[in-house]
Amino acid sequence: MESFLEHLYSSFIVEQRYMLILHGLFNTLIVTLGALVFGFVLGTLTALIRSSHHFSKRFRILNICATCFVYILRGTPVLVQLLIMKNVIFAHLKCHSILIGIFAFGLNSSAYVAEIIRSGILGVDIGQYEAGISLGFSSAQTLKLIVIPQAIKNSLPFNQRIQLLVKRDCNPRQYSHNGSNTCCRSYNVAHIFTFGLFCCSCNLPNYRVYCFFIFKQISKETAKSTFRGLKLCKT
Amino acid sequence: MQNIISIKHLFKTFNNMPILKDINLDIAQGERIIITGPSGSGKSTLLRCLNLLETPTEGDIYFMGQNILDPHCDIHKVRQKMCMVFQQFNLFLNFSVIDNITLAPIKLLAKDPTQARYEARGLLERFGLLNKAEYYPAQLSGGQKQRVAILRALAMSPKVMLFDEPTSALDPFMKNEVQNLINVLGHENMTMIIITHDIDFAKNIATRIFSIENHQLIPVQ
């Protein structure tokens, strides 16, 4: 039986195996950031189309397309979408697998982000919209100046999408590029169960903890306009 | 004197259920019209039809000689001249009091922000709210919120102000604050259409009182 220190040595030091984890971590972060940006932009656009139709009954065709987009992407497993991207859509294109991952995860995330942002917009009291309209603002101006700034506060929970993007990085194996979890599978099985997975599951550094504290601070800042927030914030 | 608002044969139905039937009303400049009636009778619907928050099923509404139901009519310009004050205040929660008042004049009337803030501070000082200028709506009492809502509408220099039960959500003390403000506006010859259940207030301020009964507008003596 190997001792703990021998496990440590053979898991990380021999053949510079720690580089594999670091490489996987780097790829994970790249895919996460790329998917986050792409998903946020596309999701916001989708949410705005659907919300505009809700308030002003315009963009009917676009709304139908956006609705189908959201329901199809939310209704199919991300693994299926990833396989379709890799083996069908990008099969004949010489595209780096990182880009495929960004596109696939971003597309999937955009559907969820769209629903989160749309629910944030619709969560704003209808009286806010009517007050803007009654002063003479157009529907677009009212959404831009009054509704969406308030909806952003309601939509802050989308930080959970960031954490999910990181956790799901185990799927990159399907498009054959190493994420941080996949790297563990490169090890000897004995090492995986004794040490490798244990270290990766600790998520060094722990992104979820960082995300939690970052968004808690953002929530505190944006809550300054609410009465409850004023008690928490020392203004 | 030309009527500032003329309502001709206005009908409104929701899902084939009649709410308003054959409403006819002419309002001259400077009049204070009180509309009263039981809950659910269509008072708010009539008021919302005037600034097209609801679209009438039939009929015409003329504002300063222009049919606002005409597709070529710029309804946004009409609404800038016919501002509404809501029962639930509907202050913009993400803006401070002074930003609530200056937002529309700056964005819609292209007023200089400094001038708009100066005028807003003048309004706030006149009605005893200057010390609340940088507060957010969540920090205000109900009466203060409603007064800020009225000042927000006043800042647009409207021709007509619509009040949808402005004091129903307030306690008697706050109600007095708001009614005093509306009285001041009345003495300044502002054309107002007010929905209220407060008969004493109505008698003090009204030039004419109407009631909605059986979906129709009936003058009250």
Side-chain angles (χ1 to χ4, degrees):
Chain A
M1 291 286 285
E2 288 182 335
S3 67
F4 177 80
L5 287 176
E6 284 169 346
H7 273 304
L8 182 67
Y9 182 79
S10 61
S11 294
F12 288 98
I13 309 301
V14 172
E15 298 172 8
Q16 293 188 319
R17 286 171 181 167
Y18 62 88
M19 288 302 296
L20 210 54
I21 292 178
L22 288 176
H23 185 65
L25 177 63
F26 178 74
N27 291 336
T28 298
L29 289 176
I30 294 291
V31 172
T32 301
L33 284 172
L36 182 66
V37 171
F38 178 62
F40 181 75
V41 170
L42 188 59
T44 304
L45 189 63
T46 308
L48 288 175
I49 291 170
R50 296 192 69 192
S51 301
S52 294
H53 178 76
H54 173 83
F55 283 109
S56 60
K57 307 300 176 197
R58 295 163 67 187
F59 311 124
R60 186 166 171 267
I61 305 293
L62 277 176
N63 177 61
I64 292 171
C65 294
T67 308
C68 293
F69 171 81
V70 167
Y71 277 93
I72 289 169
L73 284 176
R74 288 182 67 191
T76 51
V78 67
L79 187 57
V80 170
Q81 294 168 25
L82 199 56
L83 288 171
I84 291 171
M85 293 293 165
K86 169 69 177 173
N87 299 314
V88 177
I89 294 172
F90 291 97
H92 301 292
L93 296 173
K94 290 182 181 178
C95 201
H96 198 281
S97 48
I98 287 276
L99 286 176
I100 297 172
I102 289 173
F103 187 77
F105 285 118
L107 213 59
N108 180 264
S109 279
S110 68
Y112 292 93
V113 169
E115 286 300 282
I116 291 170
I117 292 177
R118 189 176 77 95
S119 65
I121 292 172
L122 297 183
V124 176
D125 183 30
I126 187 67
Q128 299 287 299
Y129 178 80
E130 288 186 345
I133 291 289
S134 69
L135 282 171
F137 287 111
S138 66
S139 182
Q141 285 173 315
T142 307
L143 282 175
K144 177 187 158 195
L145 293 169
I146 297 157
V147 177
I148 288 174
Q150 295 183 51
I152 288 173
K153 276 193 299 179
N154 295 344
S155 304
L156 274 180
F158 84 82
N159 77 81
Q160 294 170 1
R161 292 304 309 163
I162 302 173
Q163 299 170 25
L164 275 172
L165 274 172
V166 174
K167 276 170 47 177
R168 281 182 179 171
D169 194 54
C170 61
N171 282 322
R173 189 183 184 186
Q174 303 304 324
Y175 61 92
S176 63
H177 206 100
N178 289 330
S180 59
N181 293 345
T182 310
C183 290
C184 300
R185 301 193 179 109
S186 306
Y187 287 97
N188 180 284
V189 172
H191 290 295
I192 290 171
F193 284 105
T194 55
F195 214 86
L197 270 178
F198 172 76
C199 288
C200 286
S201 67
C202 291
N203 285 325
L204 301 171
N206 193 323
Y207 337 102
R208 296 188 67 189
V209 173
Y210 292 164
C211 286
F212 171 76
F213 281 110
I214 289 169
F215 280 93
K216 184 179 177 185
Q217 191 58 36
I218 293 173
S219 297
K220 279 176 82 173
E221 291 298 319
T222 54
K224 279 183 183 175
S225 62
T226 63
F227 182 69
R228 193 171 60 139
L230 287 165
K231 278 186 181 176
L232 294 172
C233 299
K234 293 176 185 175
T235 54
Chain B
M1 186 190 310
Q2 186 186 13
N3 294 317
I4 196 165
I5 293 178
S6 286
I7 305 172
K8 307 285 185 197
H9 305 292
L10 188 74
F11 287 81
K12 175 66 182 173
T13 57
F14 283 120
N15 299 327
N16 296 323
M17 194 168 69
I19 305 297
L20 300 170
K21 280 183 188 174
D22 199 21
I23 305 290
N24 293 280
L25 180 62
D26 292 321
I27 302 170
Q29 174 76 38
E31 279 203 278
R32 279 99 56 198
I33 304 294
I34 300 290
I35 299 175
T36 186
S39 296
S41 57
K43 307 183 296 296
S44 294
T45 305
L46 174 61
L47 213 66
R48 289 164 67 88
C49 284
L50 289 180
N51 66 352
L52 291 191
L53 285 179
E54 301 286 350
T55 306
T57 312
E58 263 183 71
D60 294 307
I61 300 172
Y62 293 88
F63 177 65
M64 295 174 69
Q66 187 184 20
N67 187 352
I68 66 172
L69 295 173
D70 188 341
H72 300 293
C73 172
D74 186 351
I75 188 60
H76 306 304
K77 295 285 185 198
V78 170
R79 286 175 178 147
Q80 290 172 22
K81 290 295 165 196
M82 185 163 34
C83 293
M84 189 163 177
V85 176
F86 296 86
Q87 183 178 359
Q88 296 300 330
F89 328 126
N90 290 341
L91 293 180
F92 304 138
L93 303 176
N94 54 320
F95 289 101
S96 64
V97 163
I98 196 155
D99 288 336
N100 260 273
I101 296 171
T102 58
L103 180 69
I106 291 171
K107 297 289 182 187
L108 298 175
L109 303 181
K111 268 191 184 172
D112 177 59
T114 311
Q115 178 65 21
R117 285 183 78 90
Y118 176 77
E119 290 174 7
R121 292 182 77 86
L123 281 173
L124 288 168
E125 186 176 15
R126 187 179 165 201
F127 295 104
L129 290 169
L130 185 60
N131 60 334
K132 304 290 183 186
E134 301 300 333
Y135 281 48
Y136 280 85
Q139 296 174 272
L140 304 179
S141 69
Q144 290 167 341
K145 284 182 193 172
Q146 194 63 294
R147 284 187 287 161
V148 172
I150 294 170
L151 295 182
R152 181 179 65 180
L154 263 184
M156 292 295 288
S157 305
K159 299 289 185 193
V160 177
M161 288 188 70
L162 310 175
F163 294 87
D164 186 357
E165 299 196 45
T167 58
S168 64
L170 306 174
D171 63 47
F173 178 74
M174 292 179 188
K175 198 179 287 191
N176 279 335
E177 291 181 348
V178 175
Q179 287 175 351
N180 289 339
L181 197 160
I182 297 175
N183 274 326
V184 169
L185 295 178
H187 291 136
E188 292 176 357
N189 214 34
M190 172 67 73
T191 309
M192 295 187 284
I193 304 171
I194 306 169
I195 293 173
T196 185
H197 294 290
D198 191 331
I199 300 300
D200 292 331
F201 171 61
K203 285 178 185 172
N204 281 339
I205 195 168
T207 51
R208 284 191 286 167
I209 302 178
F210 293 87
S211 174
I212 294 189
E213 294 169 17
N214 294 324
H215 315 296
Q216 290 181 315
L217 202 63
I218 312 292
V220 174
Q221 299 301 326

